[in-house]
Amino acid sequence: AKGLGRANYVVFDPTMHARAVRLLQLENDLKRALREQELNLFFQPIVCLADQRIIGFEALVRWMHPRLGMVSPLEFIPIAEETGLIFEIDQWMLKEACFRIQQWRRFTEEPLSISVNFSAKQFDQPDLVSQVRQVLLETRISPQQLMIEITESVLFSRDQAAIDTLHQLKNMGVSLCIDDFGTGYASLQYLQQLPVDTLKIDRSFIKRMDVDNLDLVRSIIELAHDLGLSVTAEGVETPVQRRFLLDMGCQEAQGHLFSKPVDGQMAVALLQEKMTN
Ligand code: C2E
Ligand code: CA
Ligand code: CA
Ligand code: CA
């Protein structure tokens, strides 16, 4: 019985315990959050780099927990994916986002696009295409206005059924965007065979752009354009980054330089401000 008790002591890590408790708590509360309308949408403008005009918004989920305050989607989306609540969350986000963009029509001359994030898990649902079609009908927005953002993992870890779903969405007129491009393994040549319209270059590349990977970002943009894909830069924070991207032919961007994600009311204010400018 010599070292045993001591060994047991060492195993107990209070920070790990606290994390496990929080995880359980969040998992439990997330079900309630959906029912009690604690989830909300924020919108981040996507702008035309040349004139900084707003061409669309990305919808981003927010959770205002009654006791814990704002919980980051980086923390609760993985929990939602594990518990299956992600189906309801992404479906709710899709419907809300389309509904809002329909309401905002009167604030713009050109139709705005709305980008919605779909977890890779969504593609496990055989009726995903009809769900999307239903939302488009109900909210009366044109499929051309909707952009669905997926990560490279959808293309790899999933089967042919997921690829078929992408083709069906595309045939409906919905646009598809590869989010966080560069962090996974998708080669541009492979993407070319898929019904993808846009690459969103991951923030980590933009962040290091003025330091060391200017050439890398340039070649991603050039190759993408050669393949007929458009490019959105994510996480643009400085005028220098904007300048580089413009010079490289990148046409669209989002990031704190233009606006952080904002609530619906603020998004409308941004739209009106841009119109009167
Ligand atoms: P993402 O889709 O890559 O979203 C971009 C994230 O970068 C957002 O964080 C946004 O606030 C942040 N961001 C944008 N511009 C800048 C910038 O200039 N600087 C910095 N530092 N950050 C910037 P957010 O809203 O916390 O979302 C985190 C992730 O959570 C998202 O990454 C996405 O993967 C996931 N997520 C958010 N909403 C949803 C949703 O409705 N469904 C699903 N499945 N995932 C979502
Ligand atoms: Ca995204
Ligand atoms: Ca992203
Ligand atoms: Ca990202």
Side-chain angles (χ1 to χ4, degrees), residues 58-60 115-118 149-151 177 179-180 200 234 254:
E58 177 177 1
L60 294 157
S115 298
V116 176
N117 292 284
F118 268 14
E149 298 194 1
I150 58 172
T151 56
C177 169
D179 202 355
D180 302 340
K200 200 181 261 195
E234 174 182 78
Q254 67 188 101

Side-chain angles (χ1 to χ4, degrees), residues 141-172:
I141 75 160
S142 124
Q144 279 72 28
Q145 284 176 272
L146 176 63
M147 168 90 79
I148 292 175
E149 298 194 1
I150 58 172
T151 56
E152 291 162 66
S153 62
V154 174
L155 312 172
F156 286 92
S157 59
R158 308 285 138 163
D159 49 345
Q160 185 58 36
I163 308 292
D164 291 344
T165 300
L166 294 177
H167 280 283
Q168 287 170 41
L169 289 169
K170 180 73 203 159
N171 290 341
M172 243 162 75

Side-chain angles (χ1 to χ4, degrees), residues 44 58-62 72-74 77 86 90 93 117-119 149 179-180 203 234-237 255-256 261:
Q44 186 174 34
E58 177 177 1
L60 294 157
V61 68
R62 292 291 177 264
S72 166
L74 292 173
I77 291 290
I86 194 69
D90 281 356
M93 286 290 292
N117 292 284
F118 268 14
S119 159
E149 298 194 1
D179 202 355
D180 302 340
R203 176 151 56 91
E234 174 182 78
V236 177
E237 293 181 349
H256 293 175

